Amino acid sequence: MKHLSYQTLKESGYDGYVLENAPERILQFGEGNFMRAFVDYFIDMMNEHAGFNSKVVLVQPIATPPGAFDLAKVINDQDGLYTLYLRGFENGEKVNQKRVISCVSRCLNSYADYEAVMACADNPELRFITCNTTEAGIAYDESCQFTETPPSTYPAKLTQFLYRRFQKFGTQPGKGFIILACELIDDNGKELEKCVMRYARQWNLGEDFIQWIEKENTFCSTLVDRIVTGYPRAEADKINEENGYVDQVLDTGEIFGFWVIEGPQSIHDEIPFAKAGLPVLITENHKPYKQRKVRILNGAHTSMVLGAYLAGQDIVRDCMHDDVICGFMNKTIYDEIIPTLTLPEDELKDFAHSVTERFKNPFIDHALLAISLNSTSKWKARVMPSFLGYVKNTGTLPKCITASFAFYIAFYHGTRLENEGLIGKREGNEYTIKDDPSILAFYAEHKDDDNATLAHAVMTNTDFWGQDLTEVPGFEQAVVAYLDEIDAKGTYEVMKELL
């Protein structure tokens, strides 16, 4: 079979939307599965449904090691085309949507194609920059020099790019950029802007340039929400056979998607999200929506999966088809998490309903052990704020969240420490607990503790929680009682009794 291209797409009989030619108006740092299934999907939809008429230049922000899979080359060999499948449950129905994404013009590597990347700054039609350079991408390193081609950090590369733009167009209005940061860190856009400003000053690029950055460029913090499962290795041959072409950069994700952009409403005038009917919200404050996602979606995962695993389950989807486990999760969300949040209750309940549908996705085998990775920091970030908020608001303990903390301790009550992690036991079979080495060493030291001793040691460990949790009235006694009940009856019966 031939590889995917505009020509082979025509030969295959594909009758979906395709945009072959359009101006390059978007530069995107990050060519990975997530951005191609999320941002580029939205751009492709706006091209079709709102006349956006824009192509995206992808930039691979890191060098490709010798002999490694060269994603940029493959994307270019395929004319920028790739096939995206969005799959899952929507309104109770099983959905499997196929779309050939045609908004990408080319992919450049910031090391191999440095000058070509920089030359994009000379394009008068370029208006938008998107990025996802991983959580570590937005970082300032003072060793980066203006003369490097390129410097190591993404913000340094971006500063060079913006300076070239400034040199080309000066203070001409409208030649700055709307910059949409998608990295999974707090205030991603603001942090990126801070780094750029530091480089502009460190490199003595001039006050006029600094003022131009502030006046003509809009750095937007954003929240992105879609589970992207990437290249479907096990299904790829079958999919290619059905399509009649070979696509080496197939991409898959869940049907749900939501993008919150913190910025001025004038963005709507330039990016037709609303006209295309896309799930994008532009707001002056994205943080309540991030809190909603972390507390409800991520919090539901973290509060449920350890107890569900000890109850014999292995995959999230199967948990959703168990009335007790799903009921426990929903009771946690609706009775104990939602009351601590600030957005309107109807919005919170709608989001919670979507979470249950997402967890039922028949196309994603989301392993509980995979989610259990680093559960200590996850419980602190995702669940503890709801716990403390509930206690503050009601003066009582949230029973399900309290039980989830006992599930966490029971899951981490291992038998021995090995290179791969701490070894625990479930129904006579071993499993591996993975977390920060110091956390695993702590639990290994306490492996022979009784429930009361272990609970006290965990809850007074301020390195874990940033505070002494035994100071929350009644919490220590309740957790010990749940641990005793888990030993006697198992986590499943604890969940059942809470319903």
Side-chain angles (χ1 to χ4, degrees):
M1 280 190 295
K2 294 180 180 179
H3 283 79
L4 176 60
S5 66
Y6 283 108
Q7 183 60 39
T8 55
L9 200 59
K10 292 169 186 172
E11 294 171 0
S12 73
Y14 180 74
D15 58 359
Y17 172 82
V18 176
L19 177 68
E20 196 158 348
N21 296 299
E24 293 178 338
R25 302 182 63 223
I26 303 136
L27 187 72
Q28 178 173 300
F29 287 89
E31 80 300 347
N33 292 321
F34 177 79
M35 292 294 274
R36 291 189 294 111
F38 188 78
V39 173
D40 300 328
Y41 165 79
F42 284 170
I43 293 165
D44 208 63
M45 292 290 283
M46 289 189 290
N47 283 341
E48 178 180 10
H49 298 290
F52 192 43
N53 196 41
S54 298
K55 286 280 188 176
V56 185
V57 182
L58 303 184
V59 179
Q60 200 169 10
I62 59 174
T64 301
F69 180 75
D70 192 338
L71 184 58
K73 182 181 184 303
V74 171
I75 289 173
N76 291 329
D77 288 345
Q78 294 188 179
D79 296 340
L81 299 170
Y82 60 94
T83 318
L84 173 66
Y85 289 86
L86 297 180
R87 314 187 286 191
F89 269 112
E90 191 172 46
N91 300 320
E93 299 291 325
K94 188 175 176 180
V95 177
N96 186 0
Q97 292 182 356
K98 169 190 169 183
R99 183 180 183 89
V100 174
I101 303 297
S102 60
C103 67
V104 173
S105 59
R106 54 192 170 132
C107 185
L108 303 172
N109 183 282
S110 58
Y111 286 79
D113 310 306
Y114 170 78
E115 178 51 36
V117 174
M118 294 299 290
C120 292
D122 301 337
N123 171 12
E125 300 211 56
L126 197 72
R127 175 61 175 148
F128 311 98
I129 295 175
T130 63
C131 58
N132 188 345
T133 54
T134 77
E135 292 91 320
I138 298 180
Y140 172 79
D141 181 350
E142 66 178 0
S143 69
C144 289
Q145 299 299 313
F146 182 65
T147 53
E148 291 179 290
T149 57
S152 61
T153 73
Y154 162 57
K157 294 181 181 77
L158 180 60
T159 307
Q160 288 183 338
F161 187 85
L162 293 175
Y163 189 68
R164 172 126 170 195
R165 182 73 164 188
F166 177 69
Q167 287 182 306
K168 178 72 175 178
F169 296 104
T171 57
Q172 185 178 333
K175 294 304 179 186
F177 299 106
I178 294 173
I179 300 167
L180 304 169
C182 301
E183 285 82 0
L184 299 180
I185 63 168
D186 289 340
D187 295 316
N188 40 29
K190 291 176 182 174
E191 291 302 315
L192 178 58
E193 184 176 16
K194 286 179 188 175
C195 292
V196 167
M197 287 299 197
R198 289 182 72 180
Y199 283 121
R201 292 190 171 95
Q202 177 189 328
W203 294 340
N204 298 312
L205 299 180
E207 194 59 36
D208 288 348
F209 175 56
I210 289 170
Q211 289 180 7
W212 176 82
I213 294 174
E214 293 175 334
K215 182 180 178 183
E216 293 294 333
N217 297 271
T218 304
F219 288 79
C220 299
S221 294
T222 85
L223 165 71
V224 295
D225 191 1
R226 167 169 283 160
I227 296 169
V228 172
T229 39
Y231 185 77
R233 196 165 304 281
E235 308 168 75
D237 290 344
K238 180 183 176 186
I239 289 172
N240 288 331
E241 191 68 38
E242 290 172 352
N243 288 335
Y245 56 75
V246 175
D247 184 348
Q248 289 187 270
V249 286
L250 284 165
D251 205 358
T252 62
E254 66 170 339
I255 194 75
F256 180 92
F258 187 53
W259 198 2
V260 182
I261 298 172
E262 184 173 295
Q265 291 301 310
S266 59
I267 290 173
H268 278 302
D269 300 333
E270 296 201 58
I271 316 179
F273 293 121
K275 187 177 178 183
L278 294 169
V280 179
L281 176 70
I282 298 174
T283 175
E284 61 184 22
N285 183 10
H286 78 291
K287 289 186 176 178
Y289 298 93
K290 179 168 185 177
Q291 185 186 67
R292 178 182 73 175
K293 174 183 180 285
V294 170
R295 299 269 197 99
I296 294 179
L297 186 144
N298 302 121
H301 260 163
T302 300
S303 59
M304 175 268 290
V305 295
L306 303 184
Y309 182 80
L310 293 177
Q313 294 289 358
D314 294 308
I315 294 172
V316 170
R317 179 178 61 250
D318 294 339
C319 295
M320 296 301 97
H321 295 292
D322 184 296
D323 290 342
V324 170
I325 297 174
C326 187
F328 171 82
M329 185 190 82
N330 284 329
K331 188 174 178 65
T332 305
I333 293 172
Y334 287 93
D335 293 358
E336 299 180 2
I337 296 175
I338 285 178
T340 70
L341 299 174
T342 57
L343 288 172
E345 187 176 356
D346 287 348
E347 286 187 33
L348 295 168
K349 287 182 175 178
D350 286 345
F351 184 77
H353 175 72
S354 75
V355 164
T356 305
E357 283 203 325
R358 294 168 74 181
F359 288 0
K360 287 181 179 177
N361 194 325
F363 298 97
I364 299 177
D365 292 337
H366 207 165
L368 302 184
L369 278 183
I371 300 168
S372 76
L373 180 70
N374 298 325
S375 282
T376 308
S377 60
K378 285 178 179 175
W379 203 93
K380 179 186 177 184
R382 301 171 172 187
V383 186
M384 198 167 90
S386 298
F387 169 74
L388 295 175
Y390 188 97
V391 172
K392 181 180 178 181
N393 291 346
T394 68
T396 61
L397 295 172
K399 292 181 179 179
C400 293
I401 293 178
T402 301
S404 85
F405 192 77
F407 298 159
Y408 156 75
I409 293 176
F411 181 88
Y412 271 64
H413 200 173
T415 58
R416 67 186 186 280
L417 191 59
E418 295 188 349
N419 289 335
E420 307 87 53
L422 184 65
I423 306 301
K425 279 194 174 181
R426 178 185 75 169
E427 298 171 352
N429 297 311
E430 294 186 339
Y431 62 91
T432 304
I433 305 154
K434 296 187 178 183
D435 209 317
D436 184 89
S438 63
I439 292 172
L440 297 181
F442 168 88
Y443 277 99
E445 289 171 11
H446 292 272
K447 65 183 179 63
D448 297 321
D449 286 0
D450 59 32
N451 288 333
T453 306
L454 176 60
H456 186 78
V458 172
M459 297 170 79
T460 55
N461 191 325
T462 56
D463 290 340
F464 287 5
W465 318 112
Q467 64 185 83
D468 183 345
L469 292 180
T470 63
E471 294 176 357
V472 178
F475 187 44
E476 183 175 7
Q477 296 90 327
V479 169
V480 173
Y482 278 129
L483 287 169
D484 290 340
E485 195 174 350
I486 290 167
D487 286 347
K489 303 176 183 177
T491 57
Y492 194 80
E493 288 302 316
V494 172
M495 291 183 189
K496 185 185 290 186
E497 289 176 5
L498 286 165
L499 300 181

